[in-house]
Amino acid sequence: MGLGPQEYSELLMVCVTLIGLLLTVGVVVSFRHTLRSFMRWMVGSLSPDAKTARDAVADLSKAIGSVRQHAQGLERYAGDYLSVFEEAGWSRLLSELEALEQAEKLLHKMIDAEQYDDAIGLSGMLLDQLPEDLTEYAAKKFGDFAPLRGWNERSRAVLIAIVDHAKIAAKANRELGIRRVGQRKPTLETLAELRKWLRGH
């Protein structure tokens, strides 16, 4: 005996309800990690520690980015003035920038793991913004990055030394009629711009 219109309609509703329920469960299971991450982010964004940590990491990244940008601008002249660069501490500057990149990666992992106190401590140490007792504590806790303390001041000193000595060498080359090959902004112009930036920071 076949199903009547009413029975068929009821069976269809049951099937549609079951399919809808299964789809809902599937979506929840599939996206629960994303949902959990979103909820964690929402809670974290309301936390004062989270905001402080994110702001500190952003400040550090900005400071590192400025030095990195100007180091990259100078790098094209390293071959022409190798002795000037090396005497000023160019190799150490590049090594410190690499180590700072590792610190940035670690800080982003700390933020993702909600380790806000650690992120604030490491960022503060690298930005030289902590009181002496907290700086010592952070230096012990993050021993691998402790040698980077004072990196910003050292970096600027290296860049200033390179600029000042390279300007002298570039002027001497120009007076001797030595011209560098390649399409790029004149050395003296680039050095003058960099010196202006360093003086303003």
Side-chain angles (χ1 to χ4, degrees):
M1 182 173 148
L3 292 173
Q6 185 173 352
E7 288 87 359
Y8 181 76
S9 175
E10 288 173 0
L11 182 61
L12 186 62
M13 277 302 276
V14 169
C15 289
V16 167
T17 303
L18 279 172
I19 290 170
L21 186 61
L22 287 171
L23 283 173
T24 303
V25 169
V27 167
V28 169
V29 169
S30 298
F31 292 100
R32 83 174 165 224
H33 177 70
T34 305
L35 205 60
R36 193 182 303 127
S37 296
F38 176 73
M39 292 304 293
R40 193 184 306 128
W41 178 83
M42 282 293 288
V43 170
S45 64
L46 299 174
S47 161
D49 286 345
K51 184 177 183 331
T52 302
R54 287 193 180 95
D55 288 348
V57 172
D59 288 345
L60 178 64
S61 292
K62 184 177 178 182
I64 295 169
S66 290
V67 172
R68 185 183 291 122
Q69 177 187 349
H70 289 90
Q72 287 170 347
L74 274 178
E75 193 167 19
R76 71 189 77 171
Y77 301 103
D80 296 340
Y81 305 102
L82 187 60
S83 62
V84 167
F85 275 64
E86 287 307 317
E87 284 173 23
W90 178 248
S91 294
R92 178 171 180 170
L93 172 63
L94 296 182
S95 295
E96 288 200 331
L97 283 173
E98 283 180 21
L100 286 163
E101 187 176 333
Q102 296 306 311
E104 281 185 286
K105 289 177 182 175
L106 176 60
L107 284 163
H108 288 297
K109 286 180 182 175
M110 287 176 177
I111 296 289
D112 291 342
E114 299 179 30
Q115 297 171 337
Y116 302 127
D117 288 344
D118 285 346
I120 292 167
L122 179 54
S123 297
M125 180 184 78
L126 294 176
L127 287 167
D128 295 318
Q129 292 178 342
L130 296 178
E132 189 59 34
D133 57 334
L134 291 180
T135 298
E136 292 304 320
Y137 174 77
K140 287 176 186 173
K141 186 162 189 177
F142 308 110
D144 290 347
F145 299 107
L148 293 173
R149 291 164 61 187
W151 68 271
N152 206 353
E153 190 177 328
R154 281 194 303 276
S155 298
R156 292 182 194 288
V158 168
L159 292 173
I160 287 171
I162 289 173
V163 167
D164 289 345
H165 292 97
K167 273 175 71 176
I168 294 168
K171 281 180 183 175
N173 286 344
R174 191 169 65 179
E175 287 168 6
L176 292 170
I178 299 171
R179 302 208 176 273
R180 303 293 180 186
V181 294
Q183 296 285 329
R184 66 186 186 196
K185 191 184 288 188
T187 304
L188 287 171
E189 187 180 333
T190 301
L191 295 173
E193 287 175 5
L194 180 54
R195 191 68 173 86
K196 184 179 178 182
W197 175 81
L198 290 166
R199 201 167 38 236
H201 288 72

